[in-house]
Amino acid sequence: MNDGAIDVLIPTCNRAAALAVTLTALAAQTQRHLRVVVSDQSDGEGAAASGEVRAVLRYMAVQGLQVDMLRHLPRRGMAEQRAFLLAQARAPCCLFLDDDVIIESDLIERMARTLRQQRCGFVGSALHGLSHAHDVRPHQQAIDFWEGQVEPEVVAPGGSAWERHHLHSAANLFHVQRRLDIGRDATRAYRVAWIGGCVLFDTAKLRAAGGFDFWSALPADHCGEDVLAQLRVMARWGGCGIIPSGAYHMELPTTVLSRRVDAPRVLP
């Protein structure tokens, strides 16, 4: 794993203003070798017709950042949307970033450094929900650090490791990193069940684990496709979260309205 270009892959649907904020944060990254690919499933003319998005795209262009705005319809579910994005990836690493996430300026650089050091399948940055900044939940704040190299793990719904997901609820991780006073220059890796919204993969390892090719085995109305892909990568090469996180959730209403099928519970 070298320190070359990173493809940032963003699925979006009917969130032009949020997408503009997410793109603006990307333009400020200290990691400059970025190519951004947006797969837009919005109604009407799409996100690129929004004045806010057009303005940010012009700004990114003068910053020397390439942004490919792609229309991808009809909608066949999030797994197929992510499979389409992964097919566009050309760089050794690809960051799947949701369209309602604000990231700190050095986050991609820190994630890439951790991925190089750990030589694992993915590194994620869990999202802080700052509307819960005063909602302290000590019973959900257990954290299990990797003391050496990240190793493969088999994590499955219902198992003991599955309970790790509580750390990423509300603002739990935000409270933990403040309590432990871990600075950005001392980024640490910890064990996860999965991470939503901001995950950097070794592109070749994600593809070798099948990527999101399972999309055709799911109905269009599903959730958990990102979780299933991470579980498969983690079983072969390992994966981790990093603290401090540096990713913040806008906490907008979900665009995935039906969650009747949870991918990791119905597919092996």
Side-chain angles (χ1 to χ4, degrees), residues 50-124:
S50 158
E52 295 91 340
V53 172
R54 288 201 305 270
V56 176
L57 292 177
R58 291 193 292 268
Y59 172 64
M60 296 180 80
V62 299
Q63 296 293 318
L65 294 172
Q66 178 183 347
V67 183
D68 297 336
M69 295 288 297
L70 307 179
R71 292 286 275 155
H72 182 56
L73 294 166
R75 300 171 192 151
R76 299 184 179 91
M78 281 303 303
E80 191 276 340
Q81 166 81 308
R82 293 185 189 277
F84 172 77
L85 278 165
L86 182 57
Q88 315 309 311
R90 302 194 296 258
C93 302
C94 60
L95 173 65
F96 273 90
L97 183 66
D98 284 359
D99 62 357
D100 60 344
V101 177
I102 305 169
I103 59 174
E104 293 177 353
S105 60
D106 67 339
L107 180 57
I108 297 180
E109 183 179 5
R110 289 195 295 117
M111 295 175 79
R113 183 184 307 122
T114 303
L115 192 63
R116 290 194 304 271
Q117 291 171 345
Q118 296 294 341
R119 300 189 296 277
C120 56
F122 70 82
V123 172

Side-chain angles (χ1 to χ4, degrees), residues 1 92-94 114-115 118-124 150-152 199-207 209 229-230 232-240:
M1 180 68 61
C93 302
C94 60
T114 303
L115 192 63
Q118 296 294 341
R119 300 189 296 277
C120 56
F122 70 82
V123 172
V150 172
E151 298 176 353
V199 181
L200 180 69
F201 288 94
D202 179 307
T203 306
K205 289 175 180 174
L206 176 57
R207 285 177 170 149
Q230 289 176 46
R232 291 180 172 183
V233 170
M234 189 155 46
R236 296 180 65 176
W237 295 284
C240 67

Side-chain angles (χ1 to χ4, degrees), residues 7-31:
D7 288 332
V8 182
L9 309 176
I10 305 176
T12 193
C13 183
N14 296 330
R15 280 182 171 169
L19 176 65
V21 174
T22 297
L23 291 174
T24 301
L26 285 173
Q29 290 298 297
T30 55
Q31 169 69 37

